[in-house]
Each structure stands twice: as C-alpha cells, then as structure tokens.
Amino acid sequence: MRYRPDIDGLRALAIIPVLFFHAGLPGFSGGYVGVDIFFVISGFLIGGIILEQKQNRSFSYLHFYERRARRLLPTLFTVIACTLIAGYFFLMPENYEELFESAAYTTLFSSNFFFLNNINYFAQNAEFMPLLHTWSLAVEEQFYIVWPLILALYLKIRNKWSDLSGLLFLGLILSASFVCSVWYLSDHAQAVFYMLPFRLWELGLGTLVLIILRSHPNMTKFHPAAFSILGLALCLGSVFLLEKQSAFPGLNALPVCLGAGLLLFFGSAAKNKISQGFSWSVLVFIGKISYALYLWHWVIFAYFRIYKNSLNLSSLDGYSLIGLTFLLSVLTWFLVENPLRFKTSKKQILAFSLGVGSLLLAVTTWGVMTDGASFRMKMDISYLKSKKVMWYWPSNIKEVKGLSKNVCFFGADWETAQKRLILWGDSHAEHYAPLIEAAIDPEKTSVLLWHKAPAFIDDDKVRRWHDRGTRFSRHCGIRRRLMENWLENQPHKIDGIILAAAWSNYAQSLFSKDHKKRSRAKGQKLMALGLKSLLKKLAPKYPVIILSDLPRPGRILLACAYQKAIPLLRAHDDRMCRPLDRAWVDKRQGPTTRILKKVASKFPRVQVVDAVDRMCSDGNCPIFIEGRLLYQDSNHIRRNLSKREKQILVKKLGLEEALAFKPGQMRLADRQAKDRQEAK
C-alpha cells in the first residue's frame, strides 16, 4: 500500500486523547475512544495488505504473521519485561502474582480473556493493573487470525458473483457484530467491551472503507474537506462528550468509528486541507511512535498510582507522566522498534519471537509458582496473603427449593433451629456474616445469607446504573422477588431479618426512569423510597435490623501492613496508615446513615445499628485491630478474622444485644406501640 502520512497523523489523534484521559486531565472524559480510532485504522491497513496480496496471489500466512511479529513483538516484549522487573519493587505478592498471570496472557495475545474474568476496565482498581491496556492488542491479534479467512471468502464470493455480493457478505458480518454489540451491552457490558466478536465491526469498518475507496476513488473528489471536517467533528465530539459511565461500545462507538472512516476515505483526496493538516511532521512523528506511547503510558501511570497509593493524579503529575511516556517511547522507537523491525532477517525475528516469548512464559510461570515472589517478605503476614485468603470464611452451602441451588447457611441447622434469621444484602452483608456468626448462639440460631444484591433495589421504581448497564439492577430485582416469594411460602417461622449493604456507595448510581439524570440527591431519595417500600412488606411480619456501613477507608490500606514486611517503593505519607478521620467518614457516610434512621423511625419493629458511631471515637476510626489490619480493600473488612478480633468487633457494634430477641419476641418499643394501638 502507498504510504499516507495523514494516517500517521490520525494515529496521533487516536493516542493523544487516550493519554489525556488516562492521566485524568479535565476535558477528555471520552478519551478512551482513541482505541476505537486505532481499530478502524488497523482494519483499513491490514485489510489493504491482505486484499492486495491475495489479488496478486502473493499472500502467505507465514509472511503475514512475520510482518506482524516485526511490528508488534519487539516493543511489546520490552514493555512486558520492564513491567515485570518494576513489579518486584512496587507490588505486593498478590498483585505481583496477578501481574505475572496477565503478562503470560499478554505474551500469548489473549489478555482480553484474562481481564474479562478479572476486572472491569472502568473500575477504580483497574488503574492499579499495569498491563490492563493490552486487552486491545489481544483483540487486534485475534482479528489478524480471523480476518484473512473472512477476506478470502469475500474474494471468492465477489469473483463468483459480483462486487455487490461481496460487499453484502462483509456487510452482513459487520452488521451482525454491531447488532450484537448493541444488543448485549446492557447485560454483558464486560464481554462486549473486551471481546473480538463485539469489536469486529470496528476493525472491519476500516477494511470496508478501503474496499469502497479502491472501487470508487472518484468519490473522494466530492467535498473532501467538508467530509473530513465532519469526520474530525465526530471523533472529537466523542472524545469530549462521552463520559466514563457512558454505555460503550455499542451505539456510542458508532460516531467515532464513522468519523475515523471518513478521515481515512477522504484523506486520500488531493489538496485536502484537513489531510494536509494531519500530515504535519509533528503529528506524523507522534503517530509513528503511537504504538510505543500506548504500551508505555498505562504502565507508567499505573506504577505512579501504586507508588502514591492513590488513584488521583494532579495536573502536574499527569503532564509530567505524559512527558516521561514520550521520552521512553522515543527511546524505544529508535533503539528497539526500528532496528528489529527493519534490520533483522526472517530467521532472526523468528528466533527473537520464540526465544523471548518462551523466556517470558517461563518467568511468568515462576512468578505464579512463587506466589508473586512472596519470599521477599521478612515477617509473617500470611493473613494478608491474597484477597482469597482475606475473604475466606467457612459456611454451609445447600440447595433451597424456590430460592437457589447455592444458599449459604451458618449457625445451627436450619430445619431444627430454635431461631431463624435472614441476612440479606450485597458484599457488605458477606463481610458482616462472620460477626453475626460470632454474635449468635450457634447451637440454637441459624442464619440464611441471601447476598449479591442490596434489598432496596427492585429494578422497578428503584434501579441502578452500574458497569455502564442495568444488568446488576435486573439481578437485584430478581433476587428481591425470589426472597419475597420464598418468605410467603416458607414453612418455617422466620424470627428476624438483617439488612446490610454498601449504602453510601449507591446514591450516585440510582435512577428510576432515565439513567442519564442521576444525581446524589435523587439517589438518596430513591434509596429511601426503595427501603420504605421493602420495610412496608417486612416490618409487619418480622423484626428488622439494619446494619449501616462500617467505616470505609476509601483507599487500599494493605501497603500499611506490608511496608513492615516488604520495603516496597511507596511515597512516604504518615497519614496513610493513621486511623481514619471521623469527620471525613461522617461526611461521606453520614447522609445515607441518616436516611436509614429516618426511614426506620417510621416502623416500630425496625432498628438501625450505626456502625460508624459504635466503631469510632470522637476523632478517629481504627484501621488496625489487635495490631492486625482490619480491612481487605477500600471498603470491606477481612472475613478471616481471628476469634479474638471477632469478639472485639461484636462487642463494639453491640451485635449480641441487637440479636438477643427471643423467637417471636418483640422489642419493648414494639409492645408499647401495640398497646397504644389497642388503647385507641
């Protein structure tokens, strides 16, 4: 294909918003769409190479993948190696082990599968994963495997019937991919974001643009500047108008992809001022090093956030890190990418690819087998070894007819227990469960844990926008209806219900009809509405205890415990490991706790356990208990608490007192209310 400098300029348009978005700089809320521009460019260029060689009968899969290896592997392997070395000094064992796993998948161009199962790209903790951005390389590599086969079919159909038949064939495939991207986005946002079948239309669109361009080159003479301006506007509009929480890709990816397609199509027109602008030497050079920029930027940003132990970057941090990214990218381009791409033989590039690839796989295997080089620890803090260890808590799982196949129970046997309680909520109900277990009489009381969904969300009047979709909301509605129906038909007497949730985490994401009109104030009203409607059904039949949020750090505190065991590279900040400031916790969690109390006050059989008020002194809230870290992450306490730790927390929270009512017994306030009602 003839070299077009404007395409390198278009690469600059793709990478700059990505850099600014990931640096957290204001105004680039949709900067992630730069990846979609790259997809369209790749489809345009790769499609052109394949079609040209197939038409000339010179296409060879071996030669095709050898060229891909020259282009991609030297820089990628360099970045992976440097990332793994840096991890030794920055990462705790669990995170380091996770990095080794992701590096292995990246080496095999399948990291999109790894991240699909492990992290939401837009989640906050994603910004601590140094190789997360390699998901897009995996998508492209998988495209390189599938697309030559599809284009071979396209050429057969076109040669046998007509050009139109070939275009209809490609159009059908791309349309199916696009429709699936839109259709499944709400329920399977993660898969739609990470996986090739839902992204194929973006890459294939580039090839479709190329085919039309070659078939009808005269079309580029029809107002090329105007259509190029339209394409640029569509791209920049997506960059500036989309938000982190926008449903994506789906329909929201269409404008930026069409914009990139227009710029590619009309950029070939002679005397097009827009394409001449993209051919500016500065933009062309940025485009040439865009691959290195993309690979380095996220690694640098992630390690800096890990060093600071904070997600937030100042503007000075952002611009400084972008500057460092450019410096490393230029060095990589001159010292690694260009020499290995243009100055090596086929045998040398093959030996490099297999040799370095095998070495990386061996190193990653070693990293996993050593639990993230856990030998670096100078003292035993095995209770913090991993999230799995910190979340471990034994319970009984069995099938309950009309409810679920996997229901968690603890305490006495449900069938023979003298007292039966239901603990209902999300993951915060799960981290309360060991404390509830320590507070009950295990010989007499049985507790059913109904988790994975806060009870106040019904997916009707109260819904939630989460992970750029409503799948979680629908899940909550299903779980709520299941429990309500089961309670109606439950043969055993239920003696009380305990509600727990990450209350302060929901307000901003709640909506009723239009998810775009969310606000914290509206969300708080909806939370009150949802809780009130639930208690109207529950409170007349059962005593209800509402457990408020435990004090939430809002930051990961593991480094505070690990720092003594492993001297990691971290910014020194004494405040990070101090107790939480009570005023700060009250500001974040107080509004929702007041909502819980206000709603509960309307029901005599409902009481609220204010965890912050009970856990915290006037000035602070502890993060250590008995010298051991209390928190697993930014908002959950550990479940692998010792017996002594549980006893202390149960006493602080007053859980034994709250759960001490006898089967069928109402609290004093209940009896007084009943007496007043009878007196009337």
Side-chain angles (χ1 to χ4, degrees):
M1 289 181 67
R2 177 179 62 87
Y3 172 69
R4 282 176 47 184
D6 64 293
I7 293 180
D8 274 327
L10 186 54
R11 285 193 174 109
L13 175 66
I15 191 61
I16 291 172
V18 170
L19 295 177
F20 280 36
F21 170 71
H22 287 148
L25 297 174
F28 292 83
S29 57
Y32 51 86
V33 301
V35 173
D36 303 85
I37 298 175
F38 277 125
F39 281 163
V40 178
I41 294 173
S42 290
F44 183 89
L45 295 175
I46 296 303
I49 292 169
I50 295 170
L51 288 172
E52 189 174 281
Q53 292 181 355
K54 280 189 174 292
Q55 288 171 330
N56 296 335
R57 298 177 183 265
S58 61
F59 180 81
S60 160
Y61 282 100
L62 183 63
H63 180 60
F64 176 73
Y65 292 121
E66 180 239 325
R67 288 188 62 178
R68 296 299 92 216
R70 286 178 183 276
R71 174 75 176 93
L72 300 175
L73 296 188
T75 303
L76 177 63
F77 285 170
T78 299
V79 171
I80 292 175
C82 291
T83 303
L84 291 176
I85 292 169
Y88 186 91
F89 303 99
F90 282 92
L91 297 179
M92 295 173 283
E94 181 191 16
N95 304 124
Y96 201 20
E97 182 179 358
E98 191 175 58
L99 176 64
F100 279 118
E101 287 186 62
S102 64
Y105 277 86
T106 300
T107 303
L108 297 172
F109 291 101
S110 56
S111 62
N112 55 335
F113 287 93
F114 176 81
F115 294 116
L116 171 66
N117 295 318
N118 287 277
I119 193 70
N120 171 9
Y121 181 83
F122 292 97
Q124 288 187 328
N125 58 333
E127 300 192 47
F128 291 127
M129 301 187 76
L131 292 176
L132 175 64
H133 62 318
T134 61
W135 71 269
S136 63
L137 299 184
V139 169
E140 285 204 34
E141 279 297 319
Q142 291 154 24
F143 173 76
Y144 298 153
I145 295 171
V146 171
W147 204 234
L149 302 175
I150 292 176
L151 288 184
L153 280 174
Y154 156 76
L155 288 172
K156 282 188 177 181
I157 292 170
R158 193 189 71 173
N159 293 337
K160 187 173 183 179
W161 284 293
S162 64
D163 289 350
L164 181 60
S165 298
L167 284 175
L168 286 174
F169 167 72
L170 282 183
L172 184 63
I173 291 176
L174 302 188
S175 297
S177 172
F178 175 71
V179 169
C180 288
S181 174
V182 175
W183 184 266
Y184 287 105
L185 182 60
S186 181
D187 285 340
H188 303 282
Q190 289 282 87
V192 172
F193 187 88
Y194 282 122
M195 303 311 289
L196 175 63
F198 306 103
R199 295 286 194 162
L200 184 67
W201 70 271
E202 300 184 38
L203 292 137
L205 177 64
T207 302
L208 196 61
V209 167
L210 178 85
I211 291 170
I212 297 172
L213 176 62
R214 288 183 173 176
S215 302
H216 305 282
N218 289 333
M219 288 178 64
T220 61
K221 298 177 182 179
F222 185 72
H223 301 296
F227 279 104
S228 294
I229 291 172
L230 175 60
L232 183 60
L234 288 171
C235 291
L236 294 180
S238 297
V239 168
F240 298 130
L241 297 178
L242 288 177
E243 298 177 347
K244 203 172 186 179
Q245 284 299 317
S246 297
F248 198 86
L251 283 171
N252 282 328
L254 188 58
V256 68
C257 292
L258 289 177
L262 287 172
L263 288 169
L264 287 167
F265 188 85
F266 289 96
S268 63
K271 299 181 179 179
N272 183 343
K273 296 294 184 183
I274 305 302
S275 63
Q276 289 174 5
F278 275 110
S279 300
W280 181 37
S281 58
V282 173
L283 289 180
V284 170
F285 182 70
I286 292 173
K288 286 182 181 294
I289 64 170
S290 60
Y291 177 57
L293 285 169
Y294 182 76
L295 285 179
W296 278 119
H297 86 282
W298 184 269
V299 176
I300 292 169
F301 293 173
Y303 275 126
F304 187 78
R305 286 186 168 101
I306 291 166
Y307 171 75
K308 296 270 288 188
N309 201 33
S310 173
L311 291 169
N312 300 317
L313 302 178
S314 68
S315 294
L316 178 60
D317 291 336
Y319 287 117
S320 299
L321 294 176
I322 289 173
L324 177 59
T325 300
F326 267 91
L327 176 61
L328 283 176
S329 299
V330 170
L331 290 174
T332 305
W333 191 70
F334 278 111
L335 300 178
V336 177
E337 187 172 335
N338 268 2
L340 289 176
R341 184 179 179 185
F342 298 113
K343 298 179 181 179
T344 53
S345 66
K346 289 183 180 180
K347 288 185 178 180
Q348 287 173 325
I349 200 66
L350 179 63
F352 171 83
S353 302
L354 293 177
V356 178
S358 299
L359 179 61
L360 286 174
L361 290 175
V363 170
T364 55
T365 301
W366 169 84
V368 173
M369 291 178 66
T370 59
D371 297 325
S374 58
F375 56 79
R376 293 173 296 158
M377 292 194 298
K378 297 179 180 179
M379 57 185 287
D380 181 25
I381 48 173
S382 56
Y383 74 100
L384 301 176
K385 181 180 178 182
S386 68
K387 289 178 184 175
K388 184 177 180 180
V389 168
M390 286 185 280
W391 201 241
Y392 176 74
W393 170 70
S395 61
N396 299 313
I397 305 293
K398 67 179 184 179
E399 181 176 355
V400 177
K401 188 177 180 180
L403 203 56
S404 175
K405 291 183 178 180
N406 299 305
V407 181
C408 174
F409 291 89
F410 57 92
D413 180 79
W414 182 262
E415 302 297 327
T416 59
Q418 296 178 26
K419 184 175 179 180
R420 299 179 184 87
L421 305 175
I422 294 171
L423 175 56
W424 184 356
D426 56 16
S427 60
H428 281 222
E430 294 181 63
H431 79 176
Y432 264 119
L435 303 182
I436 301 294
E437 183 183 41
I440 62 173
D441 183 342
E443 301 298 323
K444 299 179 180 179
T445 304
S446 181
V447 182
L448 183 157
L449 174 58
W450 188 240
H451 58 125
K452 297 183 180 179
F456 68 90
I457 296 178
D458 59 11
D459 197 41
D460 180 19
K461 293 181 179 179
V462 183
R463 307 173 70 197
R464 189 187 187 203
W465 184 256
H466 179 64
D467 279 353
R468 296 166 294 117
T470 55
R471 184 184 183 188
F472 179 80
S473 184
R474 284 195 288 278
H475 170 76
C476 292
I478 292 169
R479 300 280 288 182
R480 173 164 165 167
R481 288 187 291 275
L482 272 174
M483 176 53 70
E484 288 175 343
N485 293 335
W486 183 76
L487 287 171
E488 288 291 332
N489 302 301
Q490 173 55 224
H492 299 294
K493 181 175 176 57
I494 305 300
D495 298 291
I497 294 179
I498 308 165
L499 301 179
W503 306 102
S504 59
N505 194 45
Y506 286 103
Q508 188 65 45
S509 60
L510 298 179
F511 72 101
S512 182
K513 294 181 180 178
D514 186 354
H515 73 85
K516 294 180 181 179
K517 295 182 179 179
R518 304 186 314 276
S519 72
R520 188 165 295 278
K522 290 178 181 177
Q524 289 172 349
K525 290 180 180 178
L526 287 171
M527 181 182 292
L529 176 68
L531 186 59
K532 189 174 181 180
S533 70
L534 177 71
L535 292 178
K536 281 182 179 179
K537 298 177 181 179
L538 299 181
K541 301 177 183 179
Y542 319 101
V544 179
I545 298 169
I546 301 175
L547 303 177
S548 80
D549 273 340
L550 285 158
R552 302 178 63 172
R555 62 184 187 272
I556 297 173
L557 299 169
L558 283 174
C560 295
Y562 266 99
Q563 198 62 43
K564 296 178 181 179
I566 306 176
L568 299 170
L569 287 176
R570 290 287 190 277
H572 183 69
D573 187 350
D574 289 336
R575 295 171 298 175
M576 289 298 297
C577 299
R578 291 176 185 172
L580 307 178
D581 179 61
R582 170 69 186 270
W584 180 81
V585 173
D586 284 338
K587 183 178 180 181
R588 287 166 58 92
Q589 298 178 207
T592 46
T593 302
R594 287 192 288 273
I595 289 172
L596 301 182
K597 291 180 177 180
K598 184 176 180 180
V599 174
S601 68
K602 302 180 185 299
F603 301 89
R605 304 186 74 190
V606 179
Q607 60 176 312
V608 175
V609 174
D610 187 337
V612 171
D613 195 49
R614 290 177 175 270
M615 286 281 293
C616 305
S617 65
D618 291 339
N620 57 59
C621 310
I623 63 172
F624 287 89
I625 181 169
E626 295 285 282
R628 305 210 314 171
L629 185 66
L630 177 58
Y631 291 92
Q632 176 203 6
D633 55 24
S634 63
N635 66 105
H636 297 96
I637 63 170
R638 293 184 292 110
R639 296 206 299 179
N640 65 334
L641 298 164
S642 69
K643 184 177 180 180
R644 173 63 179 160
E645 289 166 348
K646 285 187 247 187
Q647 289 173 343
I648 292 172
L649 290 174
V650 165
K651 186 175 181 180
K652 275 182 173 288
L653 293 168
L655 291 179
E656 284 186 346
E657 178 186 352
L659 299 172
F661 56 86
K662 295 179 182 178
Q665 179 190 48
M666 291 190 296
R667 294 183 297 117
L668 176 62
D670 305 337
R671 295 198 299 272
Q672 290 173 342
K674 184 177 180 181
D675 291 342
R676 287 195 297 269
Q677 187 67 29
E678 290 175 351
K680 290 181 181 180

